[in-house]
């Protein structure tokens, strides 16, 4: 890993504290900003490596630590942390992270996208609806529909790209189609891709679910979308 942990102000609602995250810079030293939002496991090494990959592709990548230092190693622990997610702090960390990126000299042009995986997928959508003035593009990888994370699509202004597995038992195809139909109805650019894969097919640290072909194609589509949307 080539990035570093940073601290920034959390700026939403009554949460006036701070948040931390993993920041990775592109080789050129500048590029658009990108929030990389964690799976339900927490800010684990996999997410930091992903931030490095996005930095290598030309983005100033920040992965906020939404569990404030906690990580899960079992699905039971992950579910507990997900359900205990502190939404006022999370909202502040997302807005604060986007604001932090916009203030960095390295972020040029002054645009910020949000990409999330699993739990982070819905949080990426949430960030663009709760903070439409600071999020310029969204990529949702098989986002989990958590009732604790309210997504008001009427506030959506950013283009959205989404990636789903056709064999994802936690997000049936019909549910994913319905979500993307609602996104498209707002009038924003909306792209949805489905793969011959299951949930978490992009996570190369989980051999049981990782699908290299689907992950490679999703990566290409994601980079192209972000480059266009954040230019």
């Amino acid at each position: 890993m080539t990035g570093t942990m940073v601290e920034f102000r959390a700026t939403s609602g009554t949460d006036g504290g701070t948040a931390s995250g993993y920041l990775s810079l592109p080789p050129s030293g500048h590029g658009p900003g990108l929030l990389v939002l964690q799976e339900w496991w927490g800010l684990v090494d996999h997410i930091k490596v992903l931030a490095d990959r996005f930095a290598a592709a030309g983005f100033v990548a920040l992965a906020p630590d939404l569990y404030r230092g906690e990580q899960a190693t079992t699905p039971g622990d992950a579910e507990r942390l997900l359900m205990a997610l502190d939404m006022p702090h999370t909202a502040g960390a997302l807005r604060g992270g986007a604001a932090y990126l916009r203030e960095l000299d390295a972020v040029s042009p002054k645009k910020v996208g949000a990409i999330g995986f699993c739990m982070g997928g819905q949080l990426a959508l949430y960030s663009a609806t709760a903070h439409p003035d600071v999020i310029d593009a969204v990529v949702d990888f098989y986002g989990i529909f958590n009732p604790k994370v309210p997504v008001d699509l009427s506030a959506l202004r950013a283009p959205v790209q989404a990636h789903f597995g056709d064999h994802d038992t936690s997000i049936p195809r019909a549910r994913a189609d319905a979500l993307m139909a609602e996104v498209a109805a707002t009038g924003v650019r909306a792209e949805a891709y489905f793969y011959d894969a299951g949930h978490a097919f992009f996570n190369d640290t989980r051999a049981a679910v990782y699908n290299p072909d689907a992950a490679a194609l999703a990566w290409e589509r994601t980079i192209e979308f972000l480059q266009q949307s954040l230019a």
Side-chain angles (χ1 to χ4, degrees):
M1 289 175 283
T2 58
T4 185
M5 292 298 294
V6 297
E7 190 171 277
F8 52 90
R9 185 182 173 202
T11 54
S12 180
T14 59
D15 190 336
T18 60
S20 63
Y22 178 82
L23 179 69
S24 192
L25 301 176
S28 67
H30 62 85
L34 184 64
L35 293 176
V36 182
L37 305 182
Q38 67 195 46
E39 295 179 306
W40 68 346
W41 307 105
L43 183 57
V44 296
D45 286 350
H46 169 62
I47 298 299
K48 295 178 181 179
V49 169
L50 279 182
D52 288 341
R53 284 185 65 187
F54 283 112
F59 303 93
V60 180
L62 175 66
D65 183 359
L66 302 179
Y67 287 164
R68 291 188 269 193
E70 288 197 78
Q71 296 180 6
T73 56
T74 69
D77 285 341
E79 184 175 10
R80 174 183 60 80
L81 289 171
L82 169 66
M83 297 312 297
L85 187 67
D86 182 341
M87 278 309 298
H89 173 79
T90 296
L94 295 175
R95 184 173 187 84
Y100 172 82
L101 285 171
R102 287 175 177 272
E103 292 168 2
L104 290 179
D105 290 340
V107 173
S108 176
K110 294 295 181 183
K111 291 189 175 183
V112 175
I115 184 169
F117 304 84
C118 182
M119 176 188 83
Q122 189 177 10
L123 286 173
L125 267 179
Y126 167 80
S127 70
T129 59
H131 313 302
D133 56 320
V134 294
I135 300 297
D136 300 295
V138 172
V139 180
D140 174 3
F141 271 79
Y142 35 79
I144 285 180
F145 295 79
N146 181 357
K148 287 196 62 176
V149 183
V151 176
D152 177 11
L153 290 176
S154 67
L156 186 64
R157 302 292 179 269
V160 175
Q161 184 182 82
H163 304 271
F164 301 100
D166 267 328
H167 311 300
D168 188 340
T169 57
S170 63
I171 305 178
R173 175 68 183 257
R175 198 171 186 187
D177 283 337
L179 169 65
M180 293 310 295
E182 290 182 38
V183 170
T186 68
V188 304
R189 175 184 172 189
E191 302 176 3
Y193 297 101
F194 293 84
Y195 304 84
D196 185 18
H199 189 71
F201 67 82
F202 195 80
N203 190 333
D204 58 6
T205 68
R206 299 180 61 204
V209 294
Y210 176 55
N211 185 311
D213 292 337
L217 181 55
W219 174 261
E220 291 175 6
R221 288 167 167 166
T222 295
I223 296 302
E224 181 179 7
F225 173 80
L226 289 173
Q227 288 173 339
Q228 291 176 354
S229 302
L230 302 177

